[in-house]
Structures are given as C-alpha cells and as structure tokens.
Amino acid sequence: MSMVSIKTYTGPVTLCSRCGQPSFTDDEIGHQHFMEQWDGIHCPRYPLAGEPITMNWNQMSLDQIKAGYPDTYPYSSLSAGVQA
C-alpha cells in the first residue's frame, strides 16, 4: 500500500465515515487514510478508511487541515539532508 501525504495531496479530500478523519480515494486501493495519521488516529479500518463522506471544503479550511498534521510518519524524514 502506498502512503500518501495529506500535505502534498492535490485530489479531493473526504472524511472517513468510521472515524471522521480526512481521507482520500485511490483508484487502485480504494478509500484510505493519509500517512501522517499513522500514529494519531484510532480507526478500526486504518490504513483503509470507511465509506467516504464528501466535503465541500473552502480552500482556507482545507489548507488549515493539511497544515495541522505534523510530519510524524517514521520514514518520511529519513532522507532529509542526505545528498547523493
């Protein structure tokens, strides 16, 4: 399962009907959570998500949601500062 960052995701952001957290739908995998949620939510379907709830976000509120998630995924910063 590929993990997708909420901070860089540009597609439609929905809510998980099981836990109410932001989620998205991948054409191959289906409805799932973002990688930043790996240690902060307790969804019984994680890393997948329940049925999507469509939101009519305004851009400011969506930007605030995205900015509110810290970079806590354990492998996302391993290559930070490493140069080839």
Side-chain angles (χ1 to χ4, degrees), residues 6-53:
I6 192 170
K7 294 181 179 291
T8 58
Y9 183 72
T10 58
V13 175
T14 57
L15 295 180
C16 169
S17 61
R18 297 297 297 270
C19 69
Q21 293 295 311
S23 53
F24 70 101
T25 301
D26 178 273
D27 290 338
E28 293 179 20
I29 298 169
H31 196 220
Q32 59 185 308
H33 290 285
F34 293 98
M35 72 179 184
E36 289 87 356
Q37 298 167 319
W38 78 275
D39 71 342
I41 65 166
H42 304 286
C43 181
R45 301 246 322 139
Y46 187 86
L48 299 177
E51 290 298 315
I53 299 171

